Amino acid sequence: MARIVMKFGGTSVADLDRIRAVASRIKGEVERGHQVAVVVSAMAGTTNQLVAWCQALSPLHDAREYDTVVATGEQITVGLLAIALQEIGVEARSWQGWQIPIRTDGAHGTARMLSIEGRDLIRRMQAGQVAVIAGFQGLGPDNRVTTLGRGGSDTSAVAVAAAVEAERCDIYTDVDGIYTTDPRIVPRARKLRKVAYEEMLELASVGAKVLQTRSVELAMNERVRVRVLSSFAEGPDTPETGTLVVDEDEIVEKEVVTGIAYSRDEAKVTVRKIADRPGIAASIFGVLAARNVNVDMIVQNVSAEGLTDITFTIGRADLPRTRAVLEEARPQIGFAEILTDPNVTKISVVGVGMRSHAGVAGTMFRALADKAINIEVISTSEIKVSVLVAAEYTELAVRALHSAYGLDAA
Ligand code: ADP
Ligand code: ASP
Ligand code: MG
């Protein structure tokens, strides 16, 4: 008998039939004698709709009210799942973030969890009640509802697993594990049996949406055993089921490149004709940081006649704010114009083996050149190389790289 956390994403609870299927899967674990806490997302598409409504009313809307709106999707699914469980004879109770409470900081829209009160949950689980917990949401310092950033239910699940000292945290989704790249765009992607926390952290942070970045960070720090698996699969679990996120030393065969990720949520900004003098980068990125705009890749062009261009990438959703902030600071910074391009994709190759192998970047540039794909910006870290390319080349580039690193399934 174990205490486990089961998390179900949007497609796993997309309609009443799916919710019934999830309920019977949970019942299976309860009948095996496990104490179960469940974390659920909103029904597929719901959160997108809620975000779109906020944006339609006001592109620069109040983040507190955004949270009030977008947190509602999960309120629906916890209630429905609790009803579905009760209907098949499983004792269950729904919990919203504020009821537990799951305390977060006040960064509305991207709040970080600070603490979870786990004692009551444990007591009820011990008494045989399934706790059905709303993912994605928490309670801020001023007692207002907060949300944890898109995909945040993964992080809720890992945090609940840590708080109730669960033996494992099973993340049920619409694919049967973590693959060498998104199996939806590369049919020859291979399922990984295990992936190292650090690699998954890097893959998630550069766009592999299968797990939210913070969930991996938290699992690594709190030593939570995370498994990613399909809520659509039939039949009993085997040792081959899903993908385990583990310590690097649990992985025997280390590949140089483990996976490839892409992110379409990027935008490219070029600030043209700025004076090439000390402090200029500090002034541009200083004003952006002060307004919470996260800058990712950066290049500065060679200067001509004392003037230079600086190109950088930001999250696409931050584009209107970035423009506004830079225009406001134009008198201090001094530049000729701002060019923006939202039609870009960042593609990254990741692997812990890069620490000890040269030539990974070279292979990447050659494979892209062979397909005549132009690289607009490059950045690297110890276990990652990223490039920015025109969005129309996304699939072509990811497939070419997947083959170039020998990742294609036989
Ligand atoms: P959920 O709603 O269950 O949270 P998500 O859509 O957030 O599901 O995440 C699952 C999706 O992640 C898959 O459908 C797949 O398209 C995508 N994905 C991206 N990269 C990978 C990868 N390397 N392995 C598996 N899935 C991936
Ligand atoms: N429903 C939220 C979203 O769509 C949280 C999640 O699904 O993890 O981002
Ligand atoms: Mg998700």
Side-chain angles (χ1 to χ4, degrees):
M1 196 195 86
R3 188 176 297 151
I4 60 174
V5 171
M6 304 169 78
K7 180 259 173 178
F8 296 92
T11 40
S12 304
V13 292
D15 54 39
L16 296 185
D17 282 340
R18 294 298 314 148
I19 290 176
R20 286 191 194 96
V22 161
S24 78
R25 195 176 281 278
I26 295 166
K27 185 176 185 179
E29 296 290 18
V30 171
E31 285 173 346
R32 250 164 251 134
H34 298 320
Q35 294 175 18
V36 183
V38 181
V39 173
V40 275
S41 297
M43 289 170 156
T46 299
T47 311
N48 285 348
Q49 175 65 79
L50 297 169
V51 171
W53 281 338
C54 295
Q55 265 158 2
L57 284 177
S58 163
L60 297 174
H61 47 256
D62 183 329
R64 289 176 187 77
E65 303 312 337
Y66 165 93
D67 277 351
T68 302
V69 176
V70 300
T72 57
E74 276 71 11
Q75 179 169 350
I76 297 172
T77 45
V78 282
L80 291 175
L81 183 54
I83 292 172
L85 283 164
Q86 291 166 1
E87 186 64 17
I88 54 172
V90 178
E91 198 187 330
R93 183 60 62 214
S94 69
W95 295 88
Q96 294 180 62
W98 63 267
Q99 291 171 308
I100 290 178
I102 296 176
R103 284 278 172 193
T104 72
D105 65 15
H108 284 275
T110 52
R112 270 184 179 273
M113 279 179 279
L114 301 174
S115 66
I116 295 188
E117 180 47 63
R119 272 170 299 188
D120 199 27
L121 289 178
I122 293 176
R123 201 176 46 73
R124 285 166 180 259
M125 286 163 80
Q126 283 169 338
Q129 192 177 77
V130 172
V132 185
I133 300 163
F136 186 50
Q137 48 169 263
L139 188 64
D142 53 357
N143 285 340
R144 300 203 67 91
V145 170
T146 55
T147 63
L148 309 177
R150 297 306 306 271
S153 298
D154 298 328
T155 309
S156 307
V158 172
V160 167
V164 302
E165 294 167 10
E167 193 162 288
R168 60 174 204 266
C169 180
D170 283 342
I171 308 274
Y172 286 90
T173 182
D174 55 3
V175 285
D176 63 353
I178 298 166
Y179 281 71
T180 47
T181 192
D182 187 345
R184 298 201 190 285
I185 72 163
V186 181
R188 297 176 75 183
R190 261 191 296 122
K191 183 168 89 86
L192 299 164
R193 178 75 201 95
K194 291 177 178 175
V195 62
Y197 285 118
E198 269 187 68
E199 286 172 324
M200 193 56 231
L201 190 59
E202 199 85 39
L203 281 168
S205 74
V206 293
K209 287 186 176 156
V210 61
L211 288 176
Q212 198 200 31
T213 309
R214 282 180 187 168
S215 72
V216 187
E217 195 177 54
L218 195 61
M220 187 160 90
N221 293 337
E222 300 284 334
R223 318 305 306 161
V224 174
R225 284 188 80 78
V226 170
R227 186 169 63 146
V228 173
L229 65 174
S230 170
S231 70
F232 293 78
E234 314 260 333
D237 271 18
T238 71
E240 298 306 311
T241 303
T243 299
L244 282 169
V245 189
V246 298
D247 273 326
E248 202 179 315
D249 43 353
E250 276 191 54
I251 296 180
V252 191
E253 280 174 45
K254 293 192 179 65
E255 308 279 346
V256 179
V257 168
T258 310
I260 300 173
Y262 63 93
S263 166
R264 299 183 201 264
D265 303 333
E266 317 283 313
K268 184 176 78 165
V269 178
T270 302
V271 183
R272 296 224 39 228
K273 296 197 176 157
I274 13 172
D276 193 6
R277 58 172 166 76
I280 201 69
S283 67
I284 293 178
F285 298 115
V287 293
L288 292 173
R291 303 284 284 275
N292 288 321
V293 175
N294 245 330
V295 173
D296 180 16
M297 311 166 95
I298 303 175
V299 275
Q300 178 173 349
N301 290 2
V302 289
S303 70
E305 293 158 14
L307 295 176
T308 185
D309 295 348
I310 290 186
T311 295
F312 56 90
T313 64
I314 51 167
R316 193 181 304 161
D318 284 338
L319 203 47
R321 199 147 42 106
T322 301
R323 264 192 172 284
V325 169
L326 289 176
E327 286 297 352
E328 211 175 278
R330 189 175 187 140
Q332 301 97 277
I333 303 171
F335 55 82
E337 59 176 337
I338 304 170
L339 304 177
T340 56
D341 182 359
N343 297 315
V344 289
T345 299
K346 181 174 71 172
I347 299 179
S348 309
V349 301
V350 172
V352 285
M354 273 183 216
R355 290 199 192 104
S356 50
H357 282 79
V360 172
T363 304
M364 184 177 203
F365 304 153
R366 171 56 39 216
L368 296 173
D370 286 347
K371 299 283 179 201
I373 299 171
N374 189 42
I375 299 171
E376 301 184 17
V377 188
I378 300 170
S379 71
T380 64
S381 78
E382 200 189 9
I383 64 166
K384 175 195 78 190
V385 186
S386 304
V387 294
L388 196 73
V389 302
E392 57 186 308
Y393 296 121
T394 308
E395 283 86 356
L396 180 64
V398 174
R399 287 186 194 134
L401 294 171
H402 200 263
S403 302
Y405 291 108
L407 297 174
D408 290 348

